[in-house]
Short mmCIF file of all heavy atoms in Angstrom, two decimals:
data_model
loop_
_atom_site.label_atom_id
_atom_site.label_comp_id
_atom_site.label_asym_id
_atom_site.label_seq_id
_atom_site.Cartn_x
_atom_site.Cartn_y
_atom_site.Cartn_z
N ASP H 131 -20.44 -8.34 -5.04
CA ASP H 131 -20.43 -9.55 -4.22
C ASP H 131 -19.15 -10.37 -4.38
O ASP H 131 -18.84 -11.22 -3.53
CB ASP H 131 -21.65 -10.43 -4.55
CG ASP H 131 -22.95 -9.78 -4.11
OD1 ASP H 131 -22.90 -8.88 -3.25
OD2 ASP H 131 -24.02 -10.17 -4.64
N ASP H 132 -18.42 -10.14 -5.47
CA ASP H 132 -17.15 -10.82 -5.68
C ASP H 132 -15.95 -9.99 -5.21
O ASP H 132 -14.81 -10.27 -5.55
CB ASP H 132 -16.97 -11.14 -7.17
CG ASP H 132 -17.93 -12.22 -7.65
OD1 ASP H 132 -18.23 -13.13 -6.85
OD2 ASP H 132 -18.39 -12.14 -8.80
N PHE H 133 -16.25 -8.95 -4.41
CA PHE H 133 -15.20 -8.06 -3.87
C PHE H 133 -14.44 -7.33 -4.98
O PHE H 133 -13.24 -7.12 -4.88
CB PHE H 133 -14.22 -8.84 -2.98
CG PHE H 133 -14.76 -9.22 -1.63
CD1 PHE H 133 -14.15 -10.19 -0.87
CD2 PHE H 133 -15.90 -8.61 -1.13
CE1 PHE H 133 -14.64 -10.54 0.38
CE2 PHE H 133 -16.40 -8.95 0.13
CZ PHE H 133 -15.78 -9.93 0.89
N GLU H 134 -15.15 -6.93 -6.02
CA GLU H 134 -14.53 -6.23 -7.13
C GLU H 134 -15.03 -4.78 -7.20
O GLU H 134 -16.19 -4.50 -6.88
CB GLU H 134 -14.87 -6.92 -8.46
CG GLU H 134 -14.33 -8.33 -8.57
CD GLU H 134 -14.90 -9.08 -9.77
OE1 GLU H 134 -16.04 -8.76 -10.18
OE2 GLU H 134 -14.21 -9.97 -10.28
N ILE H 135 -14.15 -3.88 -7.64
CA ILE H 135 -14.54 -2.50 -7.93
C ILE H 135 -15.36 -2.48 -9.22
O ILE H 135 -14.98 -3.11 -10.21
CB ILE H 135 -13.29 -1.61 -8.07
CG1 ILE H 135 -12.61 -1.42 -6.71
CG2 ILE H 135 -13.66 -0.25 -8.68
CD1 ILE H 135 -11.28 -0.71 -6.78
N VAL H 136 -16.47 -1.79 -9.19
CA VAL H 136 -17.32 -1.64 -10.38
C VAL H 136 -17.11 -0.23 -10.93
O VAL H 136 -17.57 0.75 -10.31
CB VAL H 136 -18.80 -1.88 -10.05
CG1 VAL H 136 -19.67 -1.72 -11.30
CG2 VAL H 136 -18.99 -3.27 -9.42
N PRO H 137 -16.42 -0.06 -12.05
CA PRO H 137 -16.11 1.29 -12.56
C PRO H 137 -17.32 2.19 -12.72
O PRO H 137 -17.25 3.40 -12.45
CB PRO H 137 -15.44 1.00 -13.91
CG PRO H 137 -14.82 -0.36 -13.74
CD PRO H 137 -15.80 -1.11 -12.88
N GLU H 138 -18.46 1.62 -13.16
CA GLU H 138 -19.66 2.43 -13.39
C GLU H 138 -20.15 3.11 -12.11
O GLU H 138 -20.81 4.16 -12.17
CB GLU H 138 -20.78 1.56 -13.98
CG GLU H 138 -20.50 1.03 -15.38
CD GLU H 138 -19.52 -0.13 -15.40
OE1 GLU H 138 -19.31 -0.76 -14.34
OE2 GLU H 138 -18.97 -0.41 -16.49
N ASP H 139 -19.85 2.52 -10.97
CA ASP H 139 -20.30 3.10 -9.70
C ASP H 139 -19.59 4.41 -9.37
O ASP H 139 -20.01 5.13 -8.45
CB ASP H 139 -20.08 2.10 -8.57
CG ASP H 139 -21.00 0.89 -8.66
OD1 ASP H 139 -21.98 0.95 -9.43
OD2 ASP H 139 -20.73 -0.12 -7.98
N TYR H 140 -18.52 4.71 -10.09
CA TYR H 140 -17.75 5.94 -9.85
C TYR H 140 -18.13 7.04 -10.84
O TYR H 140 -17.47 8.08 -10.88
CB TYR H 140 -16.25 5.63 -9.89
CG TYR H 140 -15.82 4.78 -8.72
CD1 TYR H 140 -16.00 3.39 -8.74
CD2 TYR H 140 -15.28 5.35 -7.57
CE1 TYR H 140 -15.65 2.61 -7.65
CE2 TYR H 140 -14.92 4.57 -6.48
CZ TYR H 140 -15.11 3.20 -6.53
OH TYR H 140 -14.77 2.41 -5.45
N CYS H 141 -19.18 6.80 -11.60
CA CYS H 141 -19.67 7.81 -12.53
C CYS H 141 -20.76 8.63 -11.83
O CYS H 141 -21.96 8.52 -12.13
CB CYS H 141 -20.23 7.17 -13.79
SG CYS H 141 -19.03 6.21 -14.72
N ARG H 142 -20.34 9.40 -10.85
CA ARG H 142 -21.26 10.22 -10.08
C ARG H 142 -20.52 11.47 -9.61
O ARG H 142 -19.30 11.54 -9.69
CB ARG H 142 -21.82 9.46 -8.89
CG ARG H 142 -20.75 9.03 -7.89
CD ARG H 142 -21.37 8.40 -6.64
NE ARG H 142 -21.84 7.05 -6.89
CZ ARG H 142 -22.52 6.33 -5.98
NH1 ARG H 142 -22.81 6.86 -4.81
NH2 ARG H 142 -22.90 5.10 -6.27
N GLU H 143 -21.26 12.43 -9.14
CA GLU H 143 -20.63 13.67 -8.67
C GLU H 143 -19.66 13.37 -7.53
O GLU H 143 -19.97 12.60 -6.62
CB GLU H 143 -21.71 14.64 -8.20
CG GLU H 143 -21.20 16.04 -7.92
CD GLU H 143 -22.31 17.01 -7.60
OE1 GLU H 143 -23.13 16.70 -6.71
OE2 GLU H 143 -22.36 18.08 -8.24
N ASN H 144 -18.48 13.98 -7.60
CA ASN H 144 -17.49 13.71 -6.56
C ASN H 144 -16.45 14.82 -6.50
O ASN H 144 -16.32 15.62 -7.43
CB ASN H 144 -16.80 12.36 -6.82
CG ASN H 144 -15.98 12.35 -8.08
OD1 ASN H 144 -14.86 12.85 -8.12
ND2 ASN H 144 -16.54 11.79 -9.17
N GLY H 145 -15.71 14.82 -5.41
CA GLY H 145 -14.61 15.76 -5.24
C GLY H 145 -13.26 15.10 -5.35
O GLY H 145 -12.23 15.65 -4.95
N GLY H 146 -13.23 13.90 -5.94
CA GLY H 146 -12.00 13.14 -6.13
C GLY H 146 -12.28 11.66 -5.92
O GLY H 146 -13.30 11.27 -5.34
N ILE H 147 -11.36 10.83 -6.41
CA ILE H 147 -11.51 9.37 -6.31
C ILE H 147 -10.14 8.78 -5.97
O ILE H 147 -9.13 9.19 -6.53
CB ILE H 147 -12.02 8.77 -7.64
CG1 ILE H 147 -13.43 9.27 -7.95
CG2 ILE H 147 -11.98 7.24 -7.61
CD1 ILE H 147 -13.92 8.91 -9.35
N ILE H 148 -10.13 7.82 -5.05
CA ILE H 148 -8.91 7.07 -4.76
C ILE H 148 -9.27 5.61 -4.56
O ILE H 148 -10.30 5.28 -3.96
CB ILE H 148 -8.16 7.62 -3.53
CG1 ILE H 148 -6.87 6.82 -3.30
CG2 ILE H 148 -9.04 7.63 -2.28
CD1 ILE H 148 -5.94 7.41 -2.25
N PHE H 149 -8.44 4.72 -5.08
CA PHE H 149 -8.60 3.28 -4.85
C PHE H 149 -7.26 2.60 -5.07
O PHE H 149 -6.44 3.06 -5.87
CB PHE H 149 -9.66 2.68 -5.79
CG PHE H 149 -9.41 2.92 -7.25
CD1 PHE H 149 -8.63 2.05 -8.00
CD2 PHE H 149 -9.97 4.03 -7.89
CE1 PHE H 149 -8.40 2.28 -9.35
CE2 PHE H 149 -9.74 4.27 -9.22
CZ PHE H 149 -8.95 3.39 -9.96
N PRO H 150 -7.01 1.49 -4.36
CA PRO H 150 -5.79 0.74 -4.61
C PRO H 150 -5.99 -0.21 -5.78
O PRO H 150 -7.08 -0.70 -6.01
CB PRO H 150 -5.59 -0.07 -3.31
CG PRO H 150 -6.66 0.38 -2.37
CD PRO H 150 -7.74 0.96 -3.22
N ASN H 151 -4.90 -0.48 -6.48
CA ASN H 151 -4.95 -1.48 -7.54
C ASN H 151 -3.60 -2.22 -7.60
O ASN H 151 -2.59 -1.59 -7.91
CB ASN H 151 -5.24 -0.85 -8.89
CG ASN H 151 -5.63 -1.89 -9.92
OD1 ASN H 151 -6.44 -2.78 -9.63
ND2 ASN H 151 -5.05 -1.82 -11.11
N PRO H 152 -3.57 -3.53 -7.27
CA PRO H 152 -4.67 -4.35 -6.77
C PRO H 152 -5.25 -3.79 -5.46
O PRO H 152 -4.53 -3.13 -4.70
CB PRO H 152 -4.01 -5.72 -6.54
CG PRO H 152 -2.79 -5.72 -7.39
CD PRO H 152 -2.31 -4.31 -7.40
N ASN H 153 -6.52 -4.08 -5.25
CA ASN H 153 -7.17 -3.57 -4.04
C ASN H 153 -6.61 -4.27 -2.81
O ASN H 153 -6.13 -5.40 -2.87
CB ASN H 153 -8.68 -3.78 -4.13
CG ASN H 153 -9.44 -2.98 -3.10
OD1 ASN H 153 -8.93 -2.03 -2.52
ND2 ASN H 153 -10.68 -3.37 -2.87
N ALA H 154 -6.65 -3.57 -1.71
CA ALA H 154 -6.28 -4.15 -0.42
C ALA H 154 -7.49 -3.98 0.50
O ALA H 154 -8.09 -2.90 0.52
CB ALA H 154 -5.06 -3.43 0.15
N PRO H 155 -7.89 -5.04 1.19
CA PRO H 155 -7.16 -6.28 1.43
C PRO H 155 -7.54 -7.44 0.52
O PRO H 155 -7.14 -8.58 0.77
CB PRO H 155 -7.57 -6.61 2.87
CG PRO H 155 -9.00 -6.17 2.93
CD PRO H 155 -9.07 -4.93 2.09
N THR H 156 -8.32 -7.21 -0.53
CA THR H 156 -8.84 -8.33 -1.32
C THR H 156 -7.83 -8.88 -2.31
O THR H 156 -7.91 -10.05 -2.69
CB THR H 156 -10.09 -7.89 -2.09
OG1 THR H 156 -9.73 -6.90 -3.06
CG2 THR H 156 -11.14 -7.30 -1.15
N GLY H 157 -6.91 -8.06 -2.79
CA GLY H 157 -5.93 -8.49 -3.79
C GLY H 157 -6.46 -8.48 -5.21
O GLY H 157 -5.73 -8.82 -6.14
N ALA H 158 -7.73 -8.09 -5.40
CA ALA H 158 -8.34 -8.12 -6.73
C ALA H 158 -7.77 -7.00 -7.61
O ALA H 158 -7.61 -5.86 -7.18
CB ALA H 158 -9.85 -7.97 -6.62
N LEU H 159 -7.48 -7.33 -8.86
CA LEU H 159 -6.87 -6.40 -9.81
C LEU H 159 -7.94 -5.82 -10.72
O LEU H 159 -8.78 -6.54 -11.26
CB LEU H 159 -5.81 -7.12 -10.65
CG LEU H 159 -5.11 -6.26 -11.70
CD1 LEU H 159 -4.11 -5.33 -11.04
CD2 LEU H 159 -4.41 -7.15 -12.73
N LEU H 160 -7.89 -4.51 -10.92
CA LEU H 160 -8.75 -3.83 -11.88
C LEU H 160 -7.96 -3.63 -13.16
O LEU H 160 -6.89 -3.00 -13.14
CB LEU H 160 -9.21 -2.48 -11.31
CG LEU H 160 -10.34 -1.75 -12.03
CD1 LEU H 160 -11.63 -2.57 -11.96
CD2 LEU H 160 -10.55 -0.37 -11.41
N PRO H 161 -8.43 -4.16 -14.29
CA PRO H 161 -7.68 -3.99 -15.55
C PRO H 161 -7.50 -2.53 -15.92
O PRO H 161 -8.32 -1.67 -15.56
CB PRO H 161 -8.56 -4.73 -16.58
CG PRO H 161 -9.39 -5.67 -15.78
CD PRO H 161 -9.63 -4.99 -14.46
N LEU H 162 -6.44 -2.25 -16.67
CA LEU H 162 -6.10 -0.88 -17.01
C LEU H 162 -7.22 -0.18 -17.77
O LEU H 162 -7.48 1.01 -17.56
CB LEU H 162 -4.80 -0.86 -17.83
CG LEU H 162 -4.16 0.52 -18.04
CD1 LEU H 162 -3.75 1.14 -16.72
CD2 LEU H 162 -2.96 0.40 -18.98
N GLU H 163 -7.93 -0.90 -18.63
CA GLU H 163 -9.00 -0.27 -19.39
C GLU H 163 -10.15 0.19 -18.47
O GLU H 163 -10.83 1.17 -18.76
CB GLU H 163 -9.54 -1.20 -20.47
CG GLU H 163 -10.07 -2.54 -19.99
CD GLU H 163 -9.02 -3.65 -20.00
OE1 GLU H 163 -7.81 -3.34 -19.93
OE2 GLU H 163 -9.43 -4.83 -20.10
N CYS H 164 -10.33 -0.52 -17.36
CA CYS H 164 -11.37 -0.11 -16.40
C CYS H 164 -10.94 1.14 -15.64
O CYS H 164 -11.76 2.02 -15.36
CB CYS H 164 -11.65 -1.25 -15.42
SG CYS H 164 -12.42 -2.70 -16.17
N ILE H 165 -9.65 1.22 -15.31
CA ILE H 165 -9.13 2.43 -14.67
C ILE H 165 -9.29 3.62 -15.61
O ILE H 165 -9.72 4.70 -15.20
CB ILE H 165 -7.65 2.23 -14.29
CG1 ILE H 165 -7.52 1.18 -13.19
CG2 ILE H 165 -7.02 3.56 -13.84
CD1 ILE H 165 -6.11 0.82 -12.84
N GLU H 166 -8.98 3.41 -16.88
CA GLU H 166 -9.11 4.49 -17.85
C GLU H 166 -10.56 4.94 -17.98
O GLU H 166 -10.83 6.14 -18.15
CB GLU H 166 -8.54 4.07 -19.21
CG GLU H 166 -8.53 5.21 -20.21
CD GLU H 166 -7.66 4.94 -21.43
OE1 GLU H 166 -7.26 3.77 -21.64
OE2 GLU H 166 -7.38 5.91 -22.17
N SER H 167 -11.48 4.01 -17.88
CA SER H 167 -12.90 4.39 -17.99
C SER H 167 -13.31 5.28 -16.82
O SER H 167 -14.13 6.20 -16.99
CB SER H 167 -13.78 3.14 -18.05
OG SER H 167 -13.86 2.47 -16.81
N ILE H 168 -12.77 5.03 -15.63
CA ILE H 168 -13.05 5.87 -14.46
C ILE H 168 -12.49 7.27 -14.68
O ILE H 168 -13.14 8.28 -14.40
CB ILE H 168 -12.49 5.24 -13.18
CG1 ILE H 168 -13.24 3.94 -12.85
CG2 ILE H 168 -12.58 6.22 -12.00
CD1 ILE H 168 -12.65 3.17 -11.68
N ILE H 169 -11.26 7.34 -15.20
CA ILE H 169 -10.63 8.64 -15.44
C ILE H 169 -11.43 9.43 -16.49
O ILE H 169 -11.70 10.61 -16.32
CB ILE H 169 -9.18 8.46 -15.91
CG1 ILE H 169 -8.36 7.71 -14.85
CG2 ILE H 169 -8.53 9.80 -16.19
CD1 ILE H 169 -6.98 7.27 -15.33
N LYS H 170 -11.80 8.76 -17.59
CA LYS H 170 -12.56 9.42 -18.66
C LYS H 170 -13.89 9.97 -18.15
O LYS H 170 -14.35 11.02 -18.60
CB LYS H 170 -12.83 8.42 -19.79
CG LYS H 170 -11.66 8.19 -20.72
CD LYS H 170 -12.08 7.23 -21.84
CE LYS H 170 -10.99 7.00 -22.85
NZ LYS H 170 -11.42 6.05 -23.92
N SER H 171 -14.50 9.24 -17.22
CA SER H 171 -15.81 9.64 -16.72
C SER H 171 -15.75 10.78 -15.72
O SER H 171 -16.79 11.33 -15.33
CB SER H 171 -16.51 8.43 -16.07
OG SER H 171 -16.70 7.40 -17.01
N ASN H 172 -14.52 11.12 -15.27
CA ASN H 172 -14.36 12.13 -14.22
C ASN H 172 -13.27 13.14 -14.58
O ASN H 172 -12.27 13.28 -13.86
CB ASN H 172 -14.04 11.45 -12.89
CG ASN H 172 -15.16 10.58 -12.38
OD1 ASN H 172 -16.10 11.06 -11.76
ND2 ASN H 172 -15.06 9.27 -12.66
N PRO H 173 -13.44 13.86 -15.70
CA PRO H 173 -12.38 14.76 -16.16
C PRO H 173 -12.13 15.95 -15.23
O PRO H 173 -11.06 16.58 -15.30
CB PRO H 173 -12.89 15.24 -17.52
CG PRO H 173 -14.38 15.12 -17.43
CD PRO H 173 -14.62 13.90 -16.61
N ASP H 174 -13.08 16.25 -14.35
CA ASP H 174 -12.95 17.40 -13.46
C ASP H 174 -12.49 17.02 -12.05
O ASP H 174 -12.50 17.86 -11.15
CB ASP H 174 -14.27 18.16 -13.38
CG ASP H 174 -14.68 18.74 -14.73
OD1 ASP H 174 -13.78 19.18 -15.47
OD2 ASP H 174 -15.89 18.71 -15.04
N SER H 175 -12.12 15.75 -11.86
CA SER H 175 -11.70 15.28 -10.54
C SER H 175 -10.29 14.69 -10.60
O SER H 175 -9.87 14.16 -11.63
CB SER H 175 -12.65 14.18 -10.04
OG SER H 175 -13.97 14.66 -9.92
N ILE H 176 -9.57 14.79 -9.49
CA ILE H 176 -8.29 14.09 -9.36
C ILE H 176 -8.59 12.62 -9.11
O ILE H 176 -9.36 12.26 -8.21
CB ILE H 176 -7.46 14.66 -8.20
CG1 ILE H 176 -7.11 16.12 -8.45
CG2 ILE H 176 -6.19 13.82 -8.00
CD1 ILE H 176 -6.17 16.34 -9.61
N ILE H 177 -7.97 11.76 -9.91
CA ILE H 177 -8.10 10.31 -9.73
C ILE H 177 -6.75 9.79 -9.22
O ILE H 177 -5.73 9.94 -9.89
CB ILE H 177 -8.46 9.60 -11.05
CG1 ILE H 177 -9.62 10.31 -11.76
CG2 ILE H 177 -8.76 8.12 -10.79
CD1 ILE H 177 -10.90 10.35 -10.97
N MET H 178 -6.76 9.18 -8.04
CA MET H 178 -5.55 8.62 -7.47
C MET H 178 -5.61 7.10 -7.50
O MET H 178 -6.58 6.50 -7.01
CB MET H 178 -5.36 9.07 -6.03
CG MET H 178 -4.88 10.50 -5.88
SD MET H 178 -4.57 10.91 -4.14
CE MET H 178 -3.30 9.70 -3.75
N VAL H 179 -4.59 6.49 -8.08
CA VAL H 179 -4.49 5.03 -8.10
C VAL H 179 -3.33 4.65 -7.19
O VAL H 179 -2.18 5.01 -7.45
CB VAL H 179 -4.27 4.49 -9.53
CG1 VAL H 179 -4.28 2.96 -9.52
CG2 VAL H 179 -5.35 5.01 -10.47
N ASP H 180 -3.65 3.95 -6.13
CA ASP H 180 -2.67 3.54 -5.11
C ASP H 180 -2.12 2.17 -5.51
O ASP H 180 -2.78 1.15 -5.32
CB ASP H 180 -3.39 3.50 -3.76
CG ASP H 180 -2.48 3.12 -2.61
OD1 ASP H 180 -1.29 2.82 -2.84
OD2 ASP H 180 -2.97 3.11 -1.46
N GLU H 181 -0.91 2.16 -6.05
CA GLU H 181 -0.34 0.93 -6.61
C GLU H 181 0.72 0.30 -5.71
O GLU H 181 1.80 -0.09 -6.15
CB GLU H 181 0.25 1.21 -7.99
CG GLU H 181 -0.81 1.57 -9.02
CD GLU H 181 -0.25 1.70 -10.43
OE1 GLU H 181 0.99 1.86 -10.60
OE2 GLU H 181 -1.05 1.64 -11.39
N ALA H 182 0.41 0.17 -4.44
CA ALA H 182 1.37 -0.43 -3.50
C ALA H 182 1.78 -1.84 -3.91
O ALA H 182 2.89 -2.28 -3.61
CB ALA H 182 0.78 -0.44 -2.09
N TYR H 183 0.87 -2.55 -4.61
CA TYR H 183 1.11 -3.97 -4.93
C TYR H 183 1.20 -4.25 -6.43
O TYR H 183 1.21 -5.41 -6.83
CB TYR H 183 0.00 -4.82 -4.30
CG TYR H 183 -0.14 -4.60 -2.81
CD1 TYR H 183 -1.12 -3.75 -2.30
CD2 TYR H 183 0.73 -5.20 -1.92
CE1 TYR H 183 -1.23 -3.53 -0.94
CE2 TYR H 183 0.62 -4.99 -0.56
CZ TYR H 183 -0.36 -4.16 -0.07
OH TYR H 183 -0.45 -3.94 1.28
#
Side-chain angles (χ1 to χ4, degrees):
D131 292 340
D132 290 325
F133 286 163
E134 296 169 332
I135 290 173
V136 180
E138 293 77 18
D139 291 345
Y140 291 82
C141 299
R142 62 174 75 186
E143 190 174 52
N144 66 79
I147 295 170
I148 182 171
F149 55 88
N151 194 45
N153 194 18
T156 65
L159 179 75
L160 193 63
L162 191 62
E163 58 268 25
C164 293
I165 293 174
E166 186 165 14
S167 72
I168 293 174
I169 300 170
K170 281 182 177 180
S171 299
N172 295 277
D174 297 322
S175 300
I176 298 293
I177 312 299
M178 284 184 61
V179 184
D180 182 356
E181 293 187 342
Y183 305 99

